[in-house]
Amino acid sequence: MNRRRFIQSSAAALALASLPRFARAASSPLSSGPRFRTALIGCGWWGNNILREAMASGACQIVGLADVDARPLPATLARVRRGTGDTPKTFTDYRDMLTETKPEIVIVATPDHWHALPTIDAVKSGAHVYVEKPIAHTILEGRAMVNAARAAGRIVQVGTHRRISPHNISAREFIRNGGIGDLGMVRCFVNYSFVDGPEEPRAAEPIPKGLDWERWCGPAPLRPFHSGIHPIGFRQYLDYANGMLGDWGVHWLDQVRWITGENHATRIYSTGGRSVAGAPVLPGDAQTSDAPDHQLATYSFGRFDVQWEHRLFGGHGAEKGENVGCHFHGSKGVLHLGWQQGWTFYPLDSDEPVVSQPAQLGQPDDQNIKELWADFIDAIRHDRPPVCDIEDLHYSTNLALLGMLSWKHGRSIEWDAKAERVIGDEAANKLLRRNYRSGYEYPMA
């Protein structure tokens, strides 16, 4: 590919890259057909981001809102009334909402440990689902979600919206058309400066009125409440999420799979810890988070290797380009695929120009949820797989979860992707699932 001409033809490249999967979604107004009865589970900040695009699409009648924390329900209800004129019913138990409102679409925007059960219940009730990433907290939950969606014949879209961001699409085409030459390795990274010293344990706080904390913890262990866990900080508590690898890692490891066409790693090893945040203090009179403040994970795909790196300390100013993204290292140079600054290719040949593609992100949160929602509605209407299909994203989520499994296990693992088992290591296989708390039943694949 001539890199000089690539810049001039980027618009045409984007159009070609998006066909045929997005063609119908882009060319026909979503409001032209009947509206789908739509419900939201999880009415916090991110759930409202998705709901905003559902309302703006004109394709949805909002019929139900559910959250175990009743505090955001009034504001979300008011936002729906202003936006669409709909008056959805509100619930604290999503199961009651599924029964009473009979939605055709359900948005699952809960914390990670609550993704599996609502998604499975929703598809069994007959609804299509838009579920946030990572699809599950453990690998066998994810497999149960995939199998439930397939058995019910429902479309399940996962919120990995970077697959539909224009600059990610053009980076994919650039790499696939030989722009970086032969791919040798990929380095994925997220480096921030959230931690500057030992984490101070936090004492339990009174449970706020309107929050059903027991239900919020759900199938996961019941920890003492404090506001550092809910509503924002849960991702750093391994009972409820999988740290940065389970959050950001899913996005960038999914980009590697999507761009290269390679589905599964065969060998995974991870190390890391809390060298700055300090040893975790588990629940008692006070507690800290327990996710690693830094982590390295290596994935062998056969023809190339992938490294994940995150640091929650000393993260700014040290990276070329953004402090998040992937470096695709090829025989012709290095392409940095980022978020807010798009992508840039740094050629090995000094006579060749640096090539850049700026990001085209939606506001107010610099994402492309609008486009992903359009693809979801079009997939439902035309009975086709969505761009972020549940099974495809199960494999991407597995990469993150296997990295966490290796880190917890303390050694490398060999992965049989077809059987979804660790080869020759039954102690590791026990980490593919976890025991649910009494009163909740782990979903069986």
Side-chain angles (χ1 to χ4, degrees), residues 62-348:
I62 312 304
V63 297
L65 305 170
D67 202 308
V68 297
D69 189 345
R71 294 174 296 171
L73 286 172
T76 306
L77 176 59
R79 192 171 294 115
V80 172
R81 285 172 168 166
R82 290 195 304 270
T84 66
D86 298 330
T87 304
K89 294 182 178 181
T90 60
F91 301 84
T92 55
D93 191 324
Y94 76 85
R95 296 170 298 181
D96 295 336
M97 182 184 70
L98 294 178
T99 299
E100 291 188 32
T101 66
K102 295 179 170 52
E104 298 166 283
I105 290 175
V106 171
I107 302 166
V108 178
T110 60
D112 300 5
H113 70 292
W114 261 118
H115 285 179
L117 295 180
T119 297
I120 291 170
D121 288 342
V123 297
K124 286 183 175 179
S125 76
H128 304 285
V129 174
Y130 181 113
V131 61
E132 258 310 307
K133 59 82 204 163
I135 69 165
H137 186 268
T138 54
I139 285 173
L140 293 185
E141 283 178 328
R143 171 47 60 190
M145 295 165 73
V146 172
N147 290 357
R150 295 295 187 254
R154 299 294 85 186
I155 303 295
V156 179
Q157 177 88 290
V158 182
T160 42
H161 43 80
R162 283 172 175 79
R163 283 194 177 203
I164 207 163
S165 296
H167 77 273
N168 295 68
I169 295 171
S170 67
R172 183 179 190 236
E173 291 303 296
F174 185 84
I175 292 170
R176 287 192 165 199
N177 286 333
I180 70 169
D182 295 326
L183 177 64
M185 66 167 285
V186 186
R187 175 173 167 261
C188 307
F189 58 94
V190 174
N191 295 319
Y192 282 117
S193 291
F194 297 151
V195 177
D196 60 5
E199 183 181 353
E200 291 293 330
R202 295 184 59 159
E205 301 171 14
I207 298 172
K209 185 178 180 180
L211 170 61
D212 185 343
W213 181 242
E214 193 281 337
R215 185 71 175 161
W216 188 97
C217 293
L222 180 64
R223 280 178 176 254
F225 170 80
H226 68 73
S227 55
I229 301 175
H230 173 71
I232 297 296
F234 69 90
R235 293 195 185 278
Q236 300 307 312
Y237 292 79
L238 298 181
D239 286 336
Y240 312 120
N242 279 282
M244 293 299 283
L245 184 50
D247 179 17
W248 271 104
V250 175
H251 277 301
W252 298 117
L253 292 170
D254 177 63
Q255 287 290 289
V256 173
R257 287 189 55 253
W258 177 64
I259 288 171
T260 65
E262 296 286 343
N263 276 336
H264 310 290
T266 56
R267 180 189 289 268
I268 301 99
Y269 175 67
S270 181
T271 187
R274 292 170 60 89
S275 56
V276 175
V281 177
L282 299 179
D285 293 336
Q287 62 181 311
T288 66
S289 65
D290 53 354
D293 65 13
H294 72 283
Q295 189 171 5
L296 298 170
T298 302
Y299 300 86
S300 176
F301 282 82
R303 67 184 180 92
F304 62 88
D305 295 315
V306 176
Q307 183 179 50
W308 163 264
E309 170 194 312
H310 83 253
R311 296 192 311 275
L312 299 184
F313 51 86
H316 290 293
E319 296 293 344
K320 196 172 188 178
E322 289 186 83
N323 60 325
V324 301
C326 305
H327 282 143
F328 289 83
H329 295 265
S331 59
K332 295 180 180 179
V334 179
L335 185 145
H336 171 248
L337 174 59
W339 170 24
Q340 292 168 315
Q341 297 177 24
W343 63 265
T344 301
F345 176 68
Y346 302 93
L348 180 64

